[in-house]
Amino acid sequence: MVKTIFLDRDGVINKYLNQDYVKCFEEFVVESGFLEFWKLHKKHYKFIVITNQAGINKGIVSLSFFIDLSMFLIREFLIDAVYFCPHREEENCRCRKPKNLLLKKAIERFSVDIENSYFIGDSYTDLECAQSVGLSFILVLTGKSKLEDVNKWEKKPYKIVENLSRLSLIK
Ligand SMILES: [Mg+2]
């Protein structure tokens, strides 16, 4: 059984672009908090990205750029896998978060130890996806959601952190 940190990408690993997609390397700016968190945790956990990228099927983000960027993450941060959904919401696919098809595939492929693993995200969509498979969800406030948004949420995160640099998941 493998301890794993699942991560949303935009607003978690890289700086959140308000209502915009990352379309080129210049727009991909790594969060310094993620970098610190990664240094501390990489040897203890697998790191797997689960990301919605509707910009691909909207024709805003090129698939080849998305793959180049994912390969960069795999090389530079030793990310173990990147699972992505390219579909637009109206396509009603089975993989777009909050649906959990991608997450389930990853859990099976890597024999993930759910009890000792976490999902880190910046939105309610991430929370619903994580909790639907029983993963502890950690909300980071560097992205889409603000602390006051959480009051309106029906389900609550396991933990909320301002920035990933202040988070330690090493027991
Ligand atoms: Mg996000």
PDB file of all heavy atoms in Angstrom, residues 101-113:
ATOM      1  N   LEU A 101     -13.561   9.288 -11.444  1.00  0.00           N
ATOM      2  CA  LEU A 101     -13.002   8.210 -12.268  1.00  0.00           C
ATOM      3  C   LEU A 101     -11.463   8.236 -12.317  1.00  0.00           C
ATOM      4  O   LEU A 101     -10.814   7.205 -12.157  1.00  0.00           O
ATOM      5  CB  LEU A 101     -13.570   8.282 -13.695  1.00  0.00           C
ATOM      6  CG  LEU A 101     -13.090   7.174 -14.635  1.00  0.00           C
ATOM      7  CD1 LEU A 101     -13.668   5.817 -14.233  1.00  0.00           C
ATOM      8  CD2 LEU A 101     -13.452   7.478 -16.086  1.00  0.00           C
ATOM      9  N   LEU A 102     -10.905   9.418 -12.508  1.00  0.00           N
ATOM     10  CA  LEU A 102      -9.435   9.525 -12.606  1.00  0.00           C
ATOM     11  C   LEU A 102      -8.788   9.134 -11.275  1.00  0.00           C
ATOM     12  O   LEU A 102      -7.788   8.410 -11.235  1.00  0.00           O
ATOM     13  CB  LEU A 102      -9.016  10.945 -12.986  1.00  0.00           C
ATOM     14  CG  LEU A 102      -9.522  11.458 -14.339  1.00  0.00           C
ATOM     15  CD1 LEU A 102      -9.066  12.898 -14.551  1.00  0.00           C
ATOM     16  CD2 LEU A 102      -9.034  10.581 -15.484  1.00  0.00           C
ATOM     17  N   LEU A 103      -9.397   9.629 -10.205  1.00  0.00           N
ATOM     18  CA  LEU A 103      -8.880   9.340  -8.874  1.00  0.00           C
ATOM     19  C   LEU A 103      -8.939   7.831  -8.599  1.00  0.00           C
ATOM     20  O   LEU A 103      -7.977   7.230  -8.109  1.00  0.00           O
ATOM     21  CB  LEU A 103      -9.714  10.129  -7.859  1.00  0.00           C
ATOM     22  CG  LEU A 103      -9.240  10.180  -6.413  1.00  0.00           C
ATOM     23  CD1 LEU A 103      -7.805  10.654  -6.302  1.00  0.00           C
ATOM     24  CD2 LEU A 103     -10.160  11.104  -5.610  1.00  0.00           C
ATOM     25  N   LYS A 104     -10.052   7.228  -8.964  1.00  0.00           N
ATOM     26  CA  LYS A 104     -10.199   5.777  -8.748  1.00  0.00           C
ATOM     27  C   LYS A 104      -9.177   4.987  -9.556  1.00  0.00           C
ATOM     28  O   LYS A 104      -8.614   4.004  -9.072  1.00  0.00           O
ATOM     29  CB  LYS A 104     -11.612   5.324  -9.121  1.00  0.00           C
ATOM     30  CG  LYS A 104     -12.621   5.577  -8.003  1.00  0.00           C
ATOM     31  CD  LYS A 104     -13.953   4.972  -8.363  1.00  0.00           C
ATOM     32  CE  LYS A 104     -14.888   4.947  -7.172  1.00  0.00           C
ATOM     33  NZ  LYS A 104     -16.290   4.782  -7.598  1.00  0.00           N
ATOM     34  N   LYS A 105      -8.945   5.419 -10.785  1.00  0.00           N
ATOM     35  CA  LYS A 105      -7.946   4.742 -11.625  1.00  0.00           C
ATOM     36  C   LYS A 105      -6.575   4.801 -10.974  1.00  0.00           C
ATOM     37  O   LYS A 105      -5.834   3.825 -10.942  1.00  0.00           O
ATOM     38  CB  LYS A 105      -7.863   5.410 -13.005  1.00  0.00           C
ATOM     39  CG  LYS A 105      -8.921   4.964 -13.973  1.00  0.00           C
ATOM     40  CD  LYS A 105      -8.619   5.547 -15.351  1.00  0.00           C
ATOM     41  CE  LYS A 105      -9.697   5.129 -16.348  1.00  0.00           C
ATOM     42  NZ  LYS A 105      -9.498   5.776 -17.655  1.00  0.00           N
ATOM     43  N   ALA A 106      -6.233   6.005 -10.471  1.00  0.00           N
ATOM     44  CA  ALA A 106      -4.917   6.198  -9.849  1.00  0.00           C
ATOM     45  C   ALA A 106      -4.787   5.353  -8.580  1.00  0.00           C
ATOM     46  O   ALA A 106      -3.748   4.735  -8.337  1.00  0.00           O
ATOM     47  CB  ALA A 106      -4.698   7.674  -9.536  1.00  0.00           C
ATOM     48  N   ILE A 107      -5.851   5.327  -7.787  1.00  0.00           N
ATOM     49  CA  ILE A 107      -5.830   4.567  -6.528  1.00  0.00           C
ATOM     50  C   ILE A 107      -5.586   3.089  -6.814  1.00  0.00           C
ATOM     51  O   ILE A 107      -4.795   2.430  -6.142  1.00  0.00           O
ATOM     52  CB  ILE A 107      -7.155   4.784  -5.755  1.00  0.00           C
ATOM     53  CG1 ILE A 107      -7.185   6.201  -5.193  1.00  0.00           C
ATOM     54  CG2 ILE A 107      -7.326   3.743  -4.646  1.00  0.00           C
ATOM     55  CD1 ILE A 107      -8.547   6.655  -4.664  1.00  0.00           C
ATOM     56  N   GLU A 108      -6.228   2.598  -7.867  1.00  0.00           N
ATOM     57  CA  GLU A 108      -6.065   1.189  -8.217  1.00  0.00           C
ATOM     58  C   GLU A 108      -4.668   0.923  -8.782  1.00  0.00           C
ATOM     59  O   GLU A 108      -3.982  -0.001  -8.356  1.00  0.00           O
ATOM     60  CB  GLU A 108      -7.142   0.797  -9.222  1.00  0.00           C
ATOM     61  CG  GLU A 108      -7.269  -0.716  -9.348  1.00  0.00           C
ATOM     62  CD  GLU A 108      -8.230  -1.110 -10.447  1.00  0.00           C
ATOM     63  OE1 GLU A 108      -9.296  -0.476 -10.545  1.00  0.00           O
ATOM     64  OE2 GLU A 108      -7.899  -2.037 -11.188  1.00  0.00           O
ATOM     65  N   ARG A 109      -4.237   1.761  -9.696  1.00  0.00           N
ATOM     66  CA  ARG A 109      -2.950   1.543 -10.357  1.00  0.00           C
ATOM     67  C   ARG A 109      -1.782   1.570  -9.365  1.00  0.00           C
ATOM     68  O   ARG A 109      -0.833   0.812  -9.480  1.00  0.00           O
ATOM     69  CB  ARG A 109      -2.747   2.607 -11.439  1.00  0.00           C
ATOM     70  CG  ARG A 109      -1.384   2.539 -12.090  1.00  0.00           C
ATOM     71  CD  ARG A 109      -1.306   3.451 -13.299  1.00  0.00           C
ATOM     72  NE  ARG A 109       0.071   3.780 -13.627  1.00  0.00           N
ATOM     73  CZ  ARG A 109       0.449   4.891 -14.247  1.00  0.00           C
ATOM     74  NH1 ARG A 109      -0.458   5.788 -14.598  1.00  0.00           N
ATOM     75  NH2 ARG A 109       1.702   5.113 -14.507  1.00  0.00           N
ATOM     76  N   PHE A 110      -1.858   2.490  -8.392  1.00  0.00           N
ATOM     77  CA  PHE A 110      -0.740   2.636  -7.459  1.00  0.00           C
ATOM     78  C   PHE A 110      -0.998   1.966  -6.103  1.00  0.00           C
ATOM     79  O   PHE A 110      -0.200   2.131  -5.182  1.00  0.00           O
ATOM     80  CB  PHE A 110      -0.420   4.120  -7.263  1.00  0.00           C
ATOM     81  CG  PHE A 110       0.185   4.762  -8.485  1.00  0.00           C
ATOM     82  CD1 PHE A 110      -0.614   5.389  -9.433  1.00  0.00           C
ATOM     83  CD2 PHE A 110       1.563   4.718  -8.716  1.00  0.00           C
ATOM     84  CE1 PHE A 110      -0.062   5.960 -10.572  1.00  0.00           C
ATOM     85  CE2 PHE A 110       2.125   5.296  -9.854  1.00  0.00           C
ATOM     86  CZ  PHE A 110       1.303   5.920 -10.785  1.00  0.00           C
ATOM     87  N   SER A 111      -2.068   1.208  -5.993  1.00  0.00           N
ATOM     88  CA  SER A 111      -2.432   0.554  -4.716  1.00  0.00           C
ATOM     89  C   SER A 111      -2.328   1.534  -3.550  1.00  0.00           C
ATOM     90  O   SER A 111      -1.588   1.324  -2.587  1.00  0.00           O
ATOM     91  CB  SER A 111      -1.531  -0.648  -4.430  1.00  0.00           C
ATOM     92  OG  SER A 111      -1.620  -1.579  -5.449  1.00  0.00           O
ATOM     93  N   VAL A 112      -3.049   2.646  -3.686  1.00  0.00           N
ATOM     94  CA  VAL A 112      -2.937   3.731  -2.714  1.00  0.00           C
ATOM     95  C   VAL A 112      -3.564   3.356  -1.360  1.00  0.00           C
ATOM     96  O   VAL A 112      -4.647   2.789  -1.298  1.00  0.00           O
ATOM     97  CB  VAL A 112      -3.609   5.012  -3.266  1.00  0.00           C
ATOM     98  CG1 VAL A 112      -3.711   6.094  -2.197  1.00  0.00           C
ATOM     99  CG2 VAL A 112      -2.833   5.525  -4.477  1.00  0.00           C
ATOM    100  N   ASP A 113      -2.836   3.697  -0.324  1.00  0.00           N
ATOM    101  CA  ASP A 113      -3.274   3.516   1.055  1.00  0.00           C
ATOM    102  C   ASP A 113      -4.147   4.728   1.432  1.00  0.00           C
ATOM    103  O   ASP A 113      -3.649   5.756   1.877  1.00  0.00           O
ATOM    104  CB  ASP A 113      -2.003   3.450   1.921  1.00  0.00           C
ATOM    105  CG  ASP A 113      -2.295   3.428   3.409  1.00  0.00           C
ATOM    106  OD1 ASP A 113      -3.472   3.436   3.799  1.00  0.00           O
ATOM    107  OD2 ASP A 113      -1.311   3.404   4.171  1.00  0.00           O
TER     108      ASP A 113
END
